[in-house]
Amino acid sequence: MPTDCISYQESGYFSSLINDYLNEKSELKALYHRFPNLGNFKLQLEEKGDNDNGNDNGNDNINGKFKREILVSVLEKQYESIQTSETTLNNIQLLNQYNTFTITTGHQLNLFTGPLYFLYKIISTINLCKQLKKEFPENNFVPIYWMATEDHDFEEINYFTFQHKKISWNRESFGPVGRLSTEGLEEVFAVFESEIGLGKNAEYLKNLFKKAYLNHTNLADATRYLANELFAKEGLVIIDGDDTDLKKSFIPYIKNELLQQTAFTKVNETIPSLESYSIQVNPREINLFYIEDNLRERIVFENGSYAVLNTKMTFSEDEIVKEVDNHPEKFSPNVLLRPLYQEVILPNLCYIGGGGELAYWLELKSFFESQKVTFPILLLRNSVLLATEKQAKKADKLQLTWRDLFLNQQELFDQKTKLLSDFTIDFSAQKEALKKQFEALHEMAKATDKSFLGAVKAQEAKQIKGLENLEKRLLKAEKRVHQEHLNRIISLQNELFPNQSLQERKVNFAEFYVEFGEELIEKLLKELKPLEMEFKVVVL
């Protein structure tokens, strides 16, 4: 079966905002710094290199050398209790050097990685680093997975789907999910173990789950272990931003957010330029949470003081500034402020994310400029449709292309019915002929009695509608004739697009790993090309 080149824009699964970004529409160019291509990466490297050599766009209090020393120190501490590859350990040390830069993706701490696109994000990041190293060999590029440990949306991450079964971790969670105890995951493992079956790959996955979740006390450590096991050979560096030393580097920006509320002003100035699209995130006046082990609540400014919602905690201006200085780890950036935190901490060139993530990043450029922080290149992560050889052969037999299978199901059904039919189920020619016949009647009505014109138009509409109804009835009849063949087509599409949605948003990697083992990740590492910006079909 030939592999079609399916662009993201043609796939039908991306928003108009992301399609317009990928098409480099002029209306959006003010919302990003540089479009992702190799020439622009050279410019980004030069700019970030200048900043790192002591000219941090005016932020002399957070110079490049200091940031790198803190970053490496924190990573060494976070990796103390985990065995990893020499490649990853070497990448951590390379971050001390001015010619080393990062490519970053971020993701929630989804149970057992959640949907497949967790893998695609990280592999896009790894592969872009490899490509940049070939293009700019005098520099080093480190792939970073930024764990969203400070999120609190537990319901979004407490499950994964395996063989159409939702496997859930049912418990309460109130604070940052990274600090959440792994207690209770024994029951989840028992369910997974009962579903996965036998075999070498199944045993590997069971052991992976056990070592990640039953041998670690919190969700952050469990997720780090899991991602490290899958990608350590590729030098992936995993960072937890919920760290006192990292937050110390962010203190000036925390204070600015509390006292000046610049993000609110700047993002609201940007939003009108996105008015023709759906706004991904609206800014708060203060885009910070106050966090403790079992607490993550918004900070608001009310009646001349700062308050933590749903608690009795209040601070005067002096008190909250003192709290920031003494306990920066208690201040957590929300979705709009986290990108700034990440870019302040890392010598980063590019952020790789999904369409929803890029949508809110596009709200932030003027805010970054106000903070004198370089805005990263934004790259849409690789999207993938995984298919087996058996499914590819089935598609061949059914005379389907991959492009066909991306169609809306009703459109696919209708299109294939027309192709299977022995005659043309398209009355366009008849409708055109009818319209031409009525043109003469229109002219006659205009020349004689204008009241007759309405009757002519009504009759024309009635007859056109009649032809359309006949076309629909004929199509319906042909669907019955070819029902068996059409059912096989729809059955295949349902296998590849569960619930008529993207496989990568529904299916867990274990479903493919249990059959293909290491070949799954090896094939993805070989096939995914982050800068090509095409929806990739990978046949296993």
Side-chain angles (χ1 to χ4, degrees):
M1 181 176 181
T3 300
D4 292 340
C5 290
I6 305 165
S7 71
Y8 294 132
Q9 298 95 311
E10 292 172 315
S11 73
Y13 284 96
F14 292 87
S15 70
S16 58
L17 174 60
I18 296 305
N19 288 337
D20 287 350
Y21 173 67
L22 295 173
N23 290 329
E24 298 184 69
K25 282 195 77 170
S26 58
E27 295 88 335
L28 293 177
K29 288 191 175 179
L31 302 181
Y32 59 91
H33 191 36
R34 294 186 175 101
F35 193 74
N37 58 51
L38 287 174
N40 282 338
F41 270 103
K42 184 176 188 297
L43 297 173
Q44 194 82 2
L45 267 168
E46 291 169 353
E47 183 175 347
K48 291 293 287 188
D50 287 344
N51 295 346
D52 215 10
N53 285 319
N55 180 29
D56 272 309
N57 285 345
N59 288 331
D60 296 328
N61 57 327
I62 314 174
N63 64 66
K65 185 174 185 298
F66 173 75
K67 282 196 296 185
R68 287 178 180 273
E69 288 173 353
I70 293 294
L71 175 62
V72 171
S73 171
V74 167
L75 287 168
E76 287 174 339
K77 181 177 64 177
Q78 292 185 357
Y79 272 84
E80 274 177 353
S81 60
I82 186 170
Q83 285 190 326
T84 192
S85 68
E86 284 299 318
T87 310
T88 291
L89 295 175
N90 184 55
N91 275 347
I92 290 172
Q93 295 308 315
L94 284 174
L95 289 167
N96 272 313
Q97 300 178 15
Y98 286 142
N99 65 336
T100 299
F101 299 91
T102 62
I103 304 296
T104 302
T105 193
H107 198 66
Q108 296 171 295
L109 308 189
N110 293 73
L111 187 61
F112 211 49
T113 76
L116 273 162
Y117 68 88
F118 172 84
L119 268 63
Y120 306 155
K121 276 184 164 184
I122 291 175
I123 291 171
S124 297
T125 305
I126 290 167
N127 283 356
L128 180 58
C129 286
K130 291 177 181 178
Q131 186 175 1
L132 292 175
K133 182 63 178 175
K134 286 181 182 176
E135 189 71 19
F136 309 106
E138 68 278 10
N139 295 107
N140 305 305
F141 303 93
V142 175
I144 299 283
Y145 162 38
W146 182 287
M147 295 192 296
T149 54
E150 296 178 59
D151 282 1
H152 69 292
D153 296 320
F154 183 62
E155 293 75 16
E156 294 183 6
I157 68 167
N158 70 337
Y159 68 93
F160 64 99
T161 302
F162 181 77
Q163 302 290 10
H164 308 292
K165 182 180 179 67
K166 186 176 180 180
I167 300 175
S168 300
W169 182 19
N170 298 313
R171 60 162 299 166
E172 290 188 322
S173 172
F174 300 101
V177 293
R179 302 184 190 183
L180 185 63
S181 166
T182 52
E183 185 180 352
L185 279 167
E186 297 87 353
E187 290 86 350
V188 178
F189 173 70
V191 175
F192 180 50
E193 187 177 34
S194 69
E195 293 291 329
I196 198 169
L198 304 174
K200 177 184 171 184
N201 295 333
E203 284 303 311
Y204 171 79
L205 290 170
K206 285 188 281 188
N207 286 328
L208 182 62
F209 190 103
K210 282 167 67 175
K211 289 177 181 178
Y213 294 103
L214 307 189
N215 293 353
H216 293 89
T217 58
N218 63 57
L219 194 54
D221 289 345
T223 305
R224 182 188 292 108
Y225 176 87
L226 179 59
N228 179 72
E229 280 296 301
L230 294 172
F231 295 109
K233 291 178 185 176
E234 300 299 325
L236 181 69
V237 174
I238 303 155
I239 188 167
D240 180 357
D242 187 8
D243 182 277
T244 302
D245 289 331
L246 293 180
K247 291 283 178 71
K248 284 177 182 176
S249 298
F250 199 55
I251 283 175
Y253 304 94
I254 297 173
K255 289 180 179 177
N256 175 275
E257 181 64 17
L258 291 166
L259 305 179
Q260 307 299 325
Q261 299 172 12
T262 310
F264 180 74
T265 302
K266 291 297 180 183
V267 174
N268 274 328
E269 288 174 1
T270 297
I271 281 176
S273 62
L274 290 163
E275 62 185 1
S276 59
Y277 307 100
S278 294
I279 301 302
Q280 189 72 15
V281 180
N282 284 297
R284 305 279 190 185
E285 290 186 354
I286 295 175
N287 294 279
L288 288 165
F289 291 92
Y290 192 88
I291 60 171
E292 294 175 344
D293 286 351
N294 291 299
L295 174 73
R296 187 178 188 259
E297 293 288 352
R298 283 176 49 214
I299 300 170
V300 296
F301 186 71
E302 295 177 337
N303 303 318
S305 64
Y306 295 87
V308 179
L309 287 181
N310 300 313
T311 73
K312 295 180 180 180
M313 285 187 280
T314 60
F315 302 87
S316 67
E317 183 176 303
D318 288 343
E319 287 170 340
I320 204 158
V321 168
K322 186 177 179 181
E323 184 78 350
V324 173
D325 286 329
N326 293 336
H327 298 287
E329 72 279 2
K330 291 179 180 276
F331 295 82
S332 174
N334 75 354
V335 66
L336 282 179
L337 206 61
R338 187 192 304 131
L340 182 72
Y341 178 38
Q342 171 191 297
E343 295 302 313
V344 166
I345 296 305
L346 298 170
N348 197 48
L349 299 176
C350 172
Y351 184 79
I352 296 179
E357 290 174 280
L358 265 56
Y360 68 72
W361 274 88
L362 289 169
E363 299 177 28
L364 297 175
K365 181 168 174 276
S366 66
F367 171 52
F368 267 68
E369 290 170 346
S370 74
Q371 303 303 296
K372 299 180 179 178
V373 175
T374 301
F375 199 63
I377 290 173
L378 303 178
L379 178 62
L380 186 65
R381 65 166 173 84
N382 282 115
S383 278
V384 180
L385 174 64
L386 290 175
T388 64
E389 286 281 2
K390 183 179 177 182
Q391 288 168 329
K393 288 176 181 175
K394 192 184 293 185
D396 273 338
K397 192 173 181 181
L398 293 168
Q399 297 183 308
L400 292 167
T401 66
W402 295 119
R403 192 178 297 273
D404 290 334
L405 288 161
F406 272 84
L407 290 171
N408 167 278
Q409 192 157 97
Q410 190 59 54
E411 188 179 352
L412 175 63
F413 210 69
D414 292 349
Q415 188 182 102
K416 291 304 170 184
T417 301
K418 291 175 181 179
L419 283 173
L420 290 166
S421 179
D422 293 330
F423 43 83
T424 303
I425 309 176
D426 184 353
F427 289 2
S428 298
Q430 289 86 346
K431 284 184 269 189
E432 281 302 311
L434 190 64
K435 286 177 183 177
K436 285 186 178 177
Q437 288 177 352
F438 270 91
E439 282 175 10
L441 288 174
H442 285 304
E443 293 304 316
M444 188 185 301
K446 287 177 187 175
T448 55
D449 184 351
K450 290 189 178 179
S451 65
F452 182 50
L453 189 59
V456 171
K457 286 182 177 178
Q459 186 63 30
E460 180 183 13
K462 182 178 178 181
Q463 293 196 32
I464 292 289
K465 185 72 174 175
L467 282 173
E468 289 172 349
N469 287 335
L470 285 172
E471 190 176 6
K472 287 177 184 176
R473 288 181 65 182
L474 184 57
L475 183 62
K476 190 174 181 181
E478 282 296 285
K479 284 177 182 177
R480 287 196 296 270
V481 170
H482 300 286
Q483 189 70 53
E484 186 179 342
H485 189 99
L486 293 167
N487 283 345
R488 291 200 297 270
I489 288 174
I490 296 307
S491 175
L492 177 59
Q493 191 189 48
N494 286 339
E495 288 177 20
L496 296 168
F497 294 82
N499 299 323
Q500 297 180 48
S501 63
L502 287 179
Q503 174 196 77
E504 64 183 33
R505 294 194 162 273
K506 299 291 182 183
V507 178
N508 182 263
F509 86 101
E511 200 161 310
F512 288 92
Y513 199 99
V514 76
E515 183 175 355
F516 299 102
E518 290 183 12
E519 181 191 345
L520 170 64
I521 292 175
E522 289 170 358
K523 184 98 175 193
L524 290 168
L525 284 163
K526 181 181 177 182
E527 296 277 351
L528 301 196
K529 306 287 190 279
L531 294 182
E532 287 186 1
M533 301 186 206
E534 290 176 349
F535 208 118
K536 187 74 176 176
V537 179
V538 174
V539 179
L540 294 164

